[in-house]
Structure formats: C-alpha cells, structure tokens
C-alpha cells in the first residue's frame, strides 16, 4: 500500500494534468483478501488529501461490482467506507439503444419496432441486446411490417432459448449457471432464493449475501429495493423446471421436500423414511 500511495503521489499525479479515473473491477472478489481493509483505506486517504493537495481532486476511483460500502472495510476499529457516490448500472433504455436500430434499415421497414421487440426480451442487457441484433441481421427471414413481435419471438426462442447449452457458444448463459452452482455449500440457498424471485416476479430485498451473489451472476437485478429476474430470456432459460433439476442433483430429497412445502407441510407421506431417509442422512 505504501508503494501504491507513493506511485500515485510522485508519479501518476505529477505526470498528468488531466483528470484521472482508476477503475477497480469485481470489487466483491477483494472482500476475502488479507489486504482489503488497507486497500480501501488508501482510497479514503486519497479522498481526504483533496483538502491539502488540490492535485488529488483530479483523481477518481470507480469501484465496479456488487458489494455494500459497509463491506469494503471490515475492521470495526477503522472508519467505514462512507465516501463516494453509488451508481446503479442498468440495461440499455430504448433511447440509449437507438443507434443499434440503424443496422436494420436495409433489412426491415420498421427498425425501431424491431429494436423495441428485442428490448422486450433482453431487458436492455447489453450483451444479449447486441446478440439478438446480430441474429436479426444474420437471419434470412424477411420481417414483414406488423409481424415484428412474432418474428423476434421465434428468433429468440429458436436461437437462444431452445437447446440453449449447445447454442451458447459465447458462454454467456453458461457463465451465469456456473456462478450459481460452483459453490456446493451455497448453491441450494441461491436456487431457493432465485425460485422465490422467479415465482413472485418481484420480491423484497433484505441485503443478504445470497442476494448479492444472485445480482453478481447477472440473473437478478434490484430496483427500488425489489428483486426481479433481469429479463425474459433468463426467465425462460432458468425456469422452475431447471431449478428443480439442479436441486435434484444437489440433494437426494429435493422432489419430496418441494412437495411437502407445497402441501404447507401437511402431507406427511412426503417425509423421508427407510432407505430414502438413510441416503439423506448420509448426504
């Protein structure tokens, strides 16, 4: 930290008179590192030095990831990380995505209508939005006026949702799945929480670590302290049948447990006995 502080003060700032922004990506991955408190304390020091050294006013740190400011400095004896401003990243709005519609002009009569139908599926998620735009351009199908919605529906369902593992060659959806299932200790909790959001369409946020993990995967977003599935493509791919399948792989009693919960814990025939109980106890 001393070397980094010296570099900033003696090399970086004197060597450039323009504003400088340092981007730190995936800050949530720093939370378990042994020097995390020192690192974020250094950023605080840089902020405080703006009072005595105007050069530091040209320096900005942009922290990207899913973490609460209170998590960044864990030592209760240190001043918490309560500086800066939170920026909630959202998907493309129609206005922001409008330049993409220019690519459709030679292919369709109503490019803006095509773009609206694409955003209806992607929720503005940048990668998916551009992916579907490219699918439209690559498609041989002629999109007649008035058939924009049904054509985009068919294209998304056939090229992204159906048999999605084989078609996900850029591993966007597989990365989401990996982030959900990689940790066997957490996977069950994440899947059950995701099920609640999936079924409710919108669920209250309680700032739990599992909520942060789901947000980090990109699968859900938080808006106005409510959690919801990010977009219709994710909801169709990672549906309840998928949740049940993955839970079945994680624990031997998944189907019985779900049926018991659905009966409001009254159907005692769903309780484990005999061999099933033994297998669950061993697991």
């Amino acid at each position: 930290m001393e070397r980094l502080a010296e570099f900033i003060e003696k090399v970086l700032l004197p060597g450039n008179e323009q504003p400088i922004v340092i981007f730190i990506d995936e800050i949530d991955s720093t939370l378990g590192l042994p020097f995390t408190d020192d690192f974020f304390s250094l950023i605080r020091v840089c902020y405080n030095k703006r009072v005595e050294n105007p050069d530091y006013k040209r320096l900005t740190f942009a922290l990207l990831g899913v973490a609460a400011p209170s998590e960044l400095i864990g030592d209760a004896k240190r001043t918490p990380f309560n500086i800066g401003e939170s920026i909630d990243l959202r998907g493309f709005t129609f206005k922001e995505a409008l330049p993409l519609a220019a690519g459709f002009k030679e292919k369709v009569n109503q490019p803006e209508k095509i773009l609206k139908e694409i955003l209806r599926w992607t929720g503005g998620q940048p990668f998916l939005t551009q992916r579907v735009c490219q699918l439209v351009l690559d498609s041989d199908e002629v999109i007649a006026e008035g058939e924009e919605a049904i054509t985009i529906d068919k294209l998304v369902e056939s090229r992204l949702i159906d048999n999605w593992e084989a078609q996900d060659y850029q591993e966007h959806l597989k990365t989401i799945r990996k982030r959900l299932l990689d940790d066997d200790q957490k996977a069950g909790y994440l899947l059950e929480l995701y099920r609640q959001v999936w079924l409710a369409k919108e669920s209250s946020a309680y700032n739990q670590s599992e909520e942060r993990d789901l947000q980090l995967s990109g699968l859900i977003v938080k808006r106005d302290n409510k959690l919801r599935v990010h977009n219709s493509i994710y909801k169709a791919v990672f549906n309840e049948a998928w949740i049940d399948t993955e839970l079945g792989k994680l624990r031997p009693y998944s189907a019985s447990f779900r049926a018991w919960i659905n009966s409001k814990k009254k159907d005692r025939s769903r309780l484990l006995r005999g061999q099933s109980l033994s297998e669950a106890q061993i697991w």
Side-chain angles (χ1 to χ4, degrees):
M1 290 304 110
E2 291 177 3
R3 294 172 66 187
L4 179 56
E6 184 178 358
F7 168 73
I8 291 172
E9 183 160 334
K10 296 185 177 180
V11 179
L12 186 62
L13 292 176
N16 192 326
E17 296 182 357
Q18 300 298 316
I20 300 168
V21 183
I22 298 176
F23 293 89
I24 314 293
D25 198 8
E26 298 190 17
I27 57 169
D28 31 274
S29 65
T30 71
L31 301 183
L33 299 175
F35 56 83
T36 300
D37 286 0
D38 291 337
F39 178 70
F40 289 108
S41 293
L42 172 62
I43 295 178
R44 166 180 283 288
V45 168
C46 291
Y47 179 83
N48 292 337
K49 280 189 175 183
R50 292 178 172 187
V51 177
E52 59 189 63
N53 186 344
D55 283 345
Y56 277 88
K57 293 181 180 179
R58 295 190 288 108
L59 178 64
T60 301
F61 285 87
L63 310 178
L64 289 78
V66 182
S70 59
E71 296 176 293
L72 300 182
I73 296 180
D75 188 348
K77 297 178 182 178
R78 300 196 187 197
T79 305
F81 196 85
N82 55 2
I83 58 174
E85 179 180 348
S86 176
I87 301 173
D88 185 18
L89 296 181
R90 296 172 180 259
F92 290 146
T93 63
F94 176 73
K95 183 179 179 180
E96 291 166 342
L98 199 53
L100 296 173
F104 303 138
K105 286 183 178 179
E106 296 182 5
K107 189 175 179 68
V108 300
N109 293 326
Q110 300 288 337
E112 292 186 9
K113 285 187 178 180
I114 294 293
L115 183 61
K116 284 182 179 178
E117 296 304 327
I118 291 173
L119 293 177
R120 176 172 59 86
W121 273 102
T122 68
Q125 203 281 341
F127 173 83
L128 288 177
T129 300
Q130 294 176 81
R131 174 82 192 280
V132 180
C133 285
Q134 190 64 51
L135 291 176
V136 171
L137 288 180
D138 294 342
S139 173
D140 295 328
E141 187 171 355
V142 177
I143 304 177
E145 193 168 344
E147 296 186 359
E148 291 87 359
I150 191 170
T151 303
I152 296 300
D153 287 353
K154 289 180 180 178
L155 188 65
V156 170
E157 288 167 2
S158 64
R159 298 296 303 278
L160 287 177
I161 296 173
D162 295 345
N163 195 24
W164 67 269
E165 290 179 277
Q167 303 199 77
D168 188 36
Y169 60 90
Q170 290 174 297
E171 300 203 350
H172 176 75
L173 298 171
K174 290 175 185 174
T175 299
I176 292 176
R177 179 182 63 184
K178 186 174 185 294
R179 286 196 165 184
L180 253 66
L181 305 178
D182 251 13
D183 188 337
D184 290 342
Q185 299 298 316
K186 280 187 173 183
Y189 292 104
L190 294 179
L191 289 170
E192 287 293 0
L193 178 57
Y194 172 61
R195 185 200 297 275
Q196 293 175 27
V197 178
W198 192 92
L199 289 172
K201 297 185 179 179
E202 198 172 69
S203 179
S204 296
Y206 298 100
N207 297 319
Q208 300 170 332
S209 62
E210 289 83 6
E211 293 175 8
R212 186 187 68 218
D213 290 338
L214 283 176
Q215 288 177 260
L216 181 59
S217 74
L219 190 53
I220 68 168
V221 292
K222 183 165 74 171
R223 300 285 182 263
D224 300 322
N225 212 38
K226 297 287 186 179
L227 302 174
R228 61 179 177 83
V229 183
H230 195 320
N231 56 61
S232 298
I233 292 175
Y234 292 165
K235 189 158 190 176
V237 170
F238 303 108
N239 55 25
E240 192 171 23
W242 177 84
I243 297 171
D244 288 336
T245 299
E246 295 303 327
L247 279 174
K249 296 175 184 177
L250 286 172
R251 55 195 189 197
Y253 55 83
S254 179
S256 295
F257 178 79
R258 178 56 43 195
W260 185 62
I261 291 295
N262 290 339
S263 75
K264 302 188 185 304
K265 304 180 183 180
K266 293 179 180 179
D267 184 0
R268 297 184 62 83
S269 69
R270 297 295 183 174
L271 299 180
L272 302 183
R273 296 178 175 82
Q275 184 65 25
S276 297
L277 177 59
S278 299
E279 290 175 357
Q281 287 174 324
I282 291 171
W283 175 82

